[in-house]
């Protein structure tokens, strides 16, 4: 552990924040020392992001005081925070899709030549360097929105890490990353720590928090539970502090090994034949039977996420076909897929939520006919939505709230809730629990298991080995756009899975 | 200048460029019909360039065609002055230019800029005749409404002047709404204004003068069944729609703004200049056309119907 | 965490954003009451209803288009086209005849409306299919509609069926005066129908979601292309209807009609608070926008102490003041 | 510009979205070459340059506004106001005098431009501060600008300094004919300056950021409010400049000038491929848009085999065809 200085670099005293009538944060004390990695954990909606946004100057009217190196300061604008050397990676990514990857690494601080011109050469060179550093391979002059979520998250991280900040706030930076990327990020974080940068690390992956953090602050319902040094903390303890109760550990086992099932004899309900997507994957064949969960595993760029999107009709395959009950479905037409009960839950919330719209509108969208009938009534829809929100554990479960007013994890629950409103024959999940807390993950995956029991076929794409080992019956491993291995009917564990990818 | 193949009778066929403010206007379109009809009869090929009621567009069109071969040109500028540059280029090439209706350039500089003749009606006189009739009908007292065209349009400005000249003589006449209401020749604006002004007064309003028939005809339906039903409405233009309005009793009177004469005479005079090889000093600077008043009593209603008929295009 | 202010439907109904347009309207009413002695009368309200009805009809359809994050520049000229075709058919089929047989008259009215549907359908299909912004596709459509009108009518003034003149000018009377114009009743009907469709049908919901997040709607199985086409069809249809009512009010059709309709209609929708970026707003807001805009115009006409040449300046200043006061109050809240 | 190309020039340069507007332009050129024998001549190009220059100047400024996801409806009337004030000052300070002293003339030109800056500043500040859409704030500003022009000039035709007439009508000559108009040179200057600012200064990149994702830009430390104000100031300034050039071209100023400028300018920017939703596009595209639009207008004038009443219909059809062909090709690729 690194040495901690006497006065904390950054200190919050009785910080609070309300949104209208909702108290998001109340009397929270928080301190951050130079050269430490400080974990912040808490359930969805606990106020983690809100606290960090206060520090980043994104929320002007907070209560309480913030002290920087012992001096009270007011962080009313992002500029104020940036000027004090506080940089943040936001949970809801804030890159600008229309601009190039390179430029996104320099948002708001583009280097200029002596004549005041933007120094595009430097921008591109540095961008390449930094991204090579994180070992991601992208063309830096292409538009950011031509890349998937993972890349966008990595770009955000690279931007913040290289901003020269003395306080670096990472709000769920690893939610879309796979283990190798996470490793590289941790290496980077260690380097920064040794340079005396103070780092806040927010994550729902408790192991990660325990691995990298020196101290951990726990929030619950907008209040501070406590701040504890890592020493003497274990996973269960931490979860108990977060949730206020114990959680029956389900995600055990895979450390020691899990026995996967064999391919079933049943007639497959969902079949992909020689499916290819230019620049994504090629010649993928797979089949899933009712009541079976097929896992797709791969690292960033392996193509497993593109595959799931293509199967759900979000993208149009360049060749091959997809059959449901031996009926081919129209490529690139989600309507046809949805009509046949093929449903896609995406990781990228920007792709699936109308943030300014009320939650109930977002939830009933796909099954409007079933839920609301011919004559839509707000009260009826809200009434139908409320129980589903409760089932996925959305907090607050108020269907009239705008979706954008929810915390990140709760937004993801709304995405999920949409597909619980109607019949599902094939459920395609692309990192479905991104940003959910451990308890919510459990709840949601239990719902998936319930659907499976009723005969739904599930395809689960994830970069999280634990998730797959717990919930998948078979696992296909993808690498560079091809299926490289199938795990079925054998016993395997996390390490084996990662090794094979 | 160009001389083309000879038409029947061994007469030279001529080619002329015409442009008017905008063919969307019913009045302007009638002028177009007149020029086309008389062009056919007199062996003049008329090529038309629509100003689309947009000075810039008209300017662009004329600019593009001044270098082509024309025997003469006749333009009604959307606004005085905007065609000065291209007209100067026509002057340099010795092509006669006739100014129709709206002045091409300000009057003192007409010849200097290259305009041979101005053929125009007297807008003030039209308005005076129409207003005088209105005053007589309402007995020289009461409230009247004055709906104007476009405030920047020289014809409209003259009509406003004509109206004021007459009304000034009747101290007992009050203009509702504080004076002229400019409505940009737009029927909807005129109607909205008219409707609202009708509300202003609890006693019947005696009369209304409109700068053109189209606006007047769009407004008269507001009178039916209201306390202003007896209102005397007069206007300007006196073409088919307006004449029909007079016949049907919607309008009390309208002054003929002789579009066929303006456009037709321009063509006729232009071809004489070219065919007779007349010199610029031999032609008058200005030809002012008559603008008779038409009402039920004036006795010229049938004549005007005949003259303005699209088959004759005479007034 | 839970607090009634955010969960109770009542509070939500009266969200600051919803009130804002009403503030502008209220400011205008107060201003004109003080500035024009004749303003606060039943007659003024009747005038506002009459003048606002065309705008309301057209703006109602346009609201659909704006809600799904598109724009329709052809509304004004579609209105013109509809009226011109009606006039042309009237001249051909009924001519100067004094009687207007029912079936023929119906055809004279319905054929132009059907042609507007076709026009909107074309705009929609071409927009969706070419993936170009509806702005330029409907711009081209605007030229086509205006050009067709001009070519068809040859710039002549055309008569239209008597029934339109009645619709445009008459109304329910009281004390010998028209108090509730038929056109306003039609407009109210269109507004209510639009509101019901948007708030209480699946199609309406899809319009909002298509505008709010097109990709999300698509992935949830909404055929967003069809929604866009449908919205453009609706907007063309209401534009055509508006054009007929307007021609009826003028009792004939000329090419100078509906020139300002596009800008006014978009202004009404936006003034009401519907977003140009889609997904937010509704017919209720559009109704307020139309009222605001029409009140502004009517009120200004009633001010007599100002030179007519300064009237437009006053229009701008009054509108700006109303907007700014609206802004101040929104800040306070 | 040039340094951009060496990284992966091919891909960036030949993005389908970038080519699309060029396709429309090409289609038009081919069409007119076939349809109008006089089209392919130096004189036509000169005419296009001359006619397009006002539009180019105004559209350049408007591009800034659209890029930051706002709109400026006041451009047309700001142009008019600038010209009117110039004419009014000319009449007051120089009058009928035959000589035009340098300093006075400069003042006659600069004061109106400065007033446009102020006008844009006002629109900007009120937009940002009231948090209402720029659409309605600049709509009110449009009324104010037009009303002020009307009041100031009292609807009279006003003269303007000789230098503007030269700027608007003369140019570099060759063989006794103007080949490169001065106004086109000015327009080119404005376009290049605009491009450099947008692509190579921080301010320019902030404009893109503000339009691309306002919240993200704010979080990255950009003062988005100021960017919006600055863009509206720029657009008002270019509008004023365009108004002066246009008045110069007409050799005097009247109230009917610049009536269609707003719609044409927005059309040019969007036609070029700049998004109405902000963040995408640029001055290069706007230049193509202006060329396309002007070519369309100029080419159509040169078609003589068509009745003038049908010309506008043809405009619409040709534009739609060019857009649709563009759409087909984009699909193929
Ligand atoms: N803009 C907003 N308007 C209203 N309520 C908000 C807003 N932003 C956050 N909240 C509320 O504040 C509370 C705290 O949210 P916050 O985003 O800080 O949670 P979090 O701890 O980051 O959760 P997660 O793990 O899901 O990201 C939540 O109840 C959320 O609904
Ligand atoms: N020299 C450069 N190097 C790297 N990225 C650049 C450079 N110039 C621009 N970009 C980025 O590339 C993206 C696209 O660039 P640009 O704005 O030029 O788009 P465009 O629409 O193609 O422009 P143009 O109008 O010049 O064709 C922008 O988002 C910008 O961030
Ligand atoms: Mg969060
Ligand atoms: Mg660019």
């Amino acid at each position: 552990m690194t040495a901690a200085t006497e006065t904390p670099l950054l200190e919050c005293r009785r910080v609070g924040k309300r949104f209208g009538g909702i108290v998001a944060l109340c009397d929270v004390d928080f301190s951050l020392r130079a050269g430490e990695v400080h974990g912040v954990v808490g359930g969805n909606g606990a106020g983690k992001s809100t606290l960090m946004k206060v520090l980043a100057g994104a929320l002007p009217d907070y209560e309480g005081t913030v002290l920087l190196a012992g001096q009270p300061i007011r962080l009313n604008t992002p500029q104020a925070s940036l000027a004090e050397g506080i940089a943040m990676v936001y949970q809801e990514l804030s890159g600008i899709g229309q601009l190039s990857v390179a430029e996104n690494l320099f948002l708001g601080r583009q280097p200029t030549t002596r004549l005041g011109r933007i120094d595009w050469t430097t921008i591109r060179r540095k961008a390449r360097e930094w991204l090579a550093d994180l070992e991601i391979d992208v063309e830096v002059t292409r538009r950011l929105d031509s890349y998937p979520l993972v890349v966008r998250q990595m770009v955000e991280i690279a931007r913040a890490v290289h901003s020269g900040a003395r306080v670096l706030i990472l709000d769920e930076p690893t939610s879309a990353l796979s283990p190798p990327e996470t490793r590289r990020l941790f290496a980077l974080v260690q380097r920064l720590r040794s340079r005396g940068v103070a780092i806040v690390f927010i994550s729902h992956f408790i192991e990660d928090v325990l691995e990298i953090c020196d101290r951990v602050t726990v929030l619950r319902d907008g209040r501070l539970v406590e701040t504890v040094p890592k020493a003497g903390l274990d996973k269960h303890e931490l979860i108990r502090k977060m949730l206020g109760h114990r959680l029956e550990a389900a995600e055990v086992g895979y450390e020691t090994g899990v026995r996967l099932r064999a391919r079933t004899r049943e007639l497959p309900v969902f079949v992909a034949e020689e499916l290819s997507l230019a620049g994504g994957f090629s010649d993928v064949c797979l089949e899933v039977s009712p009541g079976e969960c097929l896992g797709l595993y791969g690292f960033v760029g392996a193509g497993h996420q593109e595959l799931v999107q293509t199967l759900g009709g979000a993208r149009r395959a360049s060749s091959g076909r997809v059959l449901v009950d031996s009926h081919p479905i129209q490529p690139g037409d989600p309507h046809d897929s949805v009509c046949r009960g093929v449903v896609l839950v995406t990781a990228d919330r920007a792709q699936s939520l109308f943030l300014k719209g009320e939650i109930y509108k977002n939830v009933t969208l796909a099954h409007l006919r079933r839920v609301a009938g011919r004559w839509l009534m707000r009260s009826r829809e809200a009434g139908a939505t409320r129980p589903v929100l409760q089932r996925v554990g959305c907090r607050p479960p108020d269907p009239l709230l705008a979706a954008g007013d929810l915390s990140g994890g709760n937004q993801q629950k709304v995405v999920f809730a949409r597909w619980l409103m109607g019949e599902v024959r094939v459920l395609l999940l692309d990192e479905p629990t991104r940003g959910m807390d451990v308890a919510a993950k459990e709840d949601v995956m239990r719902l998936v298991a319930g659907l499976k029991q009723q005969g739904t076929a599930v395809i689960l794409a994830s970069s999280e080995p634990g998730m797959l080992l717990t919930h998948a019956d078979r696992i296909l491993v993808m690498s560079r756009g091809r299926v490289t291995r199938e795990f079925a009917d054998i016993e395997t564990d996390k390490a084996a899975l990662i090794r094979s990818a | 200048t160009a001389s083309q193949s000879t038409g029947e009778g061994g007469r030279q066929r001529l080619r002329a460029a015409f442009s008017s403010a905008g063919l969307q206007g019913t009045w302007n379109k009638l002028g177009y019909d007149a020029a086309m009809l008389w062009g056919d009869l007199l062996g003049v090929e008329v090529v038309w360039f629509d100003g689309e009621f947009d000075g810039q567009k008209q300017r662009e069109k004329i600019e593009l065609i001044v270098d082509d071969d024309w025997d003469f040109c006749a333009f009604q500028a959307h606004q005085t002055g905007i065609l000065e540059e291209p007209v100067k280029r026509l002057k340099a090439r010795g092509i006669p230019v006739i100014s129709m209706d709206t002045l091409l350039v300000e009057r003192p500089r007409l010849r200097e800029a290259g305009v041979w003749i101005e053929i125009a009606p007297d807008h003030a006189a039209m308005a005076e005749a129409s207003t005088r009739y209105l005053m007589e009908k309402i007995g020289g007292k009461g409230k009247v409404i004055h709906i104007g065209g476009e405030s920047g349009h020289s014809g409209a400005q003259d009509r406003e002047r004509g109206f004021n000249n007459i009304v000034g003589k009747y101290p007992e006449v009050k203009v509702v709404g504080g004076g002229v209401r400019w409505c940009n020749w737009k029927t909807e604006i005129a109607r909205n204004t008219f409707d609202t002004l009708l509300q202003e007064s609890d006693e019947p309003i005696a009369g209304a003068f409109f700068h053109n028939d189209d606006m007047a005809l769009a407004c008269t339906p507001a009178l039916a069944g209201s306390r202003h039903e007896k209102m005397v409405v007069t206007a300007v233009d006196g073409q088919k729609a307006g004449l029909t309005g007079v016949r049907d009793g919607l309008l009390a009177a309208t002054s003929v703004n002789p579009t066929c004469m303006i456009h037709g005479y321009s063509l006729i005079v232009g071809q004489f200049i070219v065919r007779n090889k007349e010199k610029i000093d031999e032609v008058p600077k200005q030809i002012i056309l008559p603008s008779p008043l038409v009402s039920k009593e004036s006795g010229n209603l049938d004549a005007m119907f005949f003259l303005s008929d699209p088959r004759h295009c005479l007034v | 965490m839970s607090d009634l202010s955010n969960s109770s439907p009542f509070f939500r109904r009266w969200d600051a954003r919803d009130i804002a347009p009403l503030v502008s309207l209220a400011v205008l009413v107060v201003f004109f009451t003080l500035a024009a002695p004749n303003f606060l009368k039943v007659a003024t309200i009747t005038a506002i209803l009459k003048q606002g009805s065309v705008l309301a009809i057209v703006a109602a359809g346009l609201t659909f288009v704006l809600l799904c994050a598109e724009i329709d520049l052809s509304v004004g000229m579609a209105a013109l086209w509809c009226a011109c075709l009606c006039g042309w058919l009237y001249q051909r089929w009924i001519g100067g005849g004094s009687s207007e047989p029912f079936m023929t008259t119906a055809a004279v009215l319905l054929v132009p409306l059907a042609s507007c549907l076709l026009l909107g359908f074309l705009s929609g299909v071409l927009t969706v299919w070419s993936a170009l912004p509806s702005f330029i596709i409907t711009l081209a459509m605007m030229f086509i509609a205006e050009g067709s009108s001009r070519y068809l009518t040859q710039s002549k003034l055309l008569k239209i069926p008597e029934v339109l003149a009645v619709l445009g000018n008459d109304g329910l009377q009281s004390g010998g005066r028209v108090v509730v114009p038929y056109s306003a009743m039609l407009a109210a009907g269109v507004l209510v129908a639009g509101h019901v469709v948007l708030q209480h049908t699946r199609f309406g919901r899809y319009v909002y979601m298509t505008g709010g997040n097109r990709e999300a709607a698509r992935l949830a199985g909404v055929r967003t292309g069809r929604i866009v086409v449908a919205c453009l069809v609706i907007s063309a249809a209401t534009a055509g209807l508006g054009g007929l009512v307007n021609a009826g009010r003028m009792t004939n059709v000329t090419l100078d009609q509906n020139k300002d309709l596009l800008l006014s209609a978009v202004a009404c929708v936006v003034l009401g608070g519907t977003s140009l970026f889609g997904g937010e707003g509704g017919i209720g807001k559009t109704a307020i926008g139309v009222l605001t805009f029409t009140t502004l115009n009517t009120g200004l006409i009633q001010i007599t102490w100002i030179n007519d040449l300064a009237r437009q300046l006053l229009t701008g200043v009054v509108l700006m003041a109303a907007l700014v006061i609206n802004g101040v109050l929104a800040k306070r809240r």
Side-chain angles (χ1 to χ4, degrees), chain A residues 186-439:
Chain A
F186 285 180
L188 206 62
V189 166
Q190 297 292 6
R191 277 212 311 267
L192 291 173
R193 163 160 58 184
S194 62
R195 272 194 245 143
V197 177
I199 295 157
V200 178
F201 180 78
I202 299 180
S203 177
H204 290 296
F205 299 120
I206 304 297
E207 288 95 355
D208 288 354
V209 174
L210 289 176
E211 177 185 338
I212 192 159
C213 297
D214 305 316
R215 289 195 297 162
V216 181
T217 291
V218 184
L219 296 178
R220 193 195 315 146
D221 288 343
R223 290 170 189 278
L224 178 70
V225 176
E226 64 180 323
T227 301
V228 284
K230 180 178 69 178
L233 262 185
D234 79 345
K235 188 175 165 184
H236 299 288
E237 176 73 7
L238 198 53
I239 292 176
R240 195 191 56 76
K241 286 186 199 297
M242 272 169 61
L243 304 176
H245 59 86
R246 286 194 72 86
L247 190 74
E248 295 79 57
E251 276 197 22
V252 283
Y254 60 74
E255 301 287 358
T256 50
V258 175
R259 172 130 196 120
L260 293 171
R261 286 201 289 174
R263 208 181 275 222
T264 53
R265 291 275 139 71
E266 256 183 281
L267 207 62
V269 52
F270 189 71
V271 178
E273 291 174 351
E274 311 250 304
L275 207 61
S276 303
L277 177 78
F281 52 86
S282 52
D283 294 333
V284 173
C285 301
L286 55 79
E287 46 185 54
V288 201
S289 310
E292 190 188 27
C293 176
L294 174 67
L296 291 175
Y297 182 69
F299 294 154
V300 170
H304 58 304
Q305 283 165 330
E306 286 83 352
L307 175 60
V308 177
Q309 301 229 328
T310 311
L311 291 173
R315 292 158 176 246
R316 192 195 194 98
S318 36
S319 69
R321 54 183 197 154
V322 178
L323 303 129
V324 187
D325 298 326
S326 25
H327 273 288
I329 56 175
Q330 201 74 33
D333 179 9
H335 176 77
D336 195 37
S337 304
V338 171
C339 284
R340 294 182 188 282
V342 180
V343 149
L344 170 69
V345 177
T346 57
D348 187 357
R349 295 188 276 271
Q351 243 186 340
S352 38
L353 286 180
F354 170 27
L355 291 176
K356 287 185 184 162
E358 290 92 333
I359 294 174
Y360 78 88
K361 287 185 182 166
N362 278 295
V363 172
T364 56
L365 177 60
H367 297 288
L368 209 47
R369 187 197 306 263
R370 243 187 72 112
V371 178
R374 285 201 166 280
W375 182 259
L376 307 196
M377 297 270 290
R378 181 209 291 252
S379 53
R380 177 144 31 109
E381 276 185 82
T385 308
R386 209 167 276 123
V388 186
L389 289 180
Q390 261 144 10
R391 272 169 73 196
V392 296
C394 176
R395 278 170 33 108
D398 174 6
L400 298 181
L401 225 54
D405 289 349
L406 290 178
S407 77
N410 283 311
Q411 287 178 15
Q412 191 64 25
K413 295 174 197 167
V414 171
V415 176
F416 207 90
R418 169 182 303 161
W419 299 109
L420 296 175
M421 303 292 300
E423 197 212 1
V424 179
R425 293 189 46 73
V426 182
L427 186 59
L428 304 170
L429 304 172
D430 175 11
E431 215 73 80
T433 58
R434 188 172 82 88
M436 291 190 197
D437 65 37
V438 276

Side-chain angles (χ1 to χ4, degrees), chain A residues 19-20 22-25 42-51 53 59 91-92 171-172 202 204 219 222 349 395-396 401 404-411 413 435-437, chain C residues 1 6:
Chain A
F19 294 102
I22 297 184
V23 181
L25 210 57
N44 292 133
K48 306 180 293 294
S49 301
T50 307
L51 177 61
K53 282 184 189 162
L59 299 173
Q91 181 180 14
E92 299 310 319
D171 192 352
E172 298 196 28
I202 299 180
H204 290 296
L219 296 178
R349 295 188 276 271
R395 278 170 33 108
L401 225 54
D405 289 349
L406 290 178
S407 77
N410 283 311
Q411 287 178 15
K413 295 174 197 167
M436 291 190 197
D437 65 37
Chain C
M1 188 183 297
N6 258 283

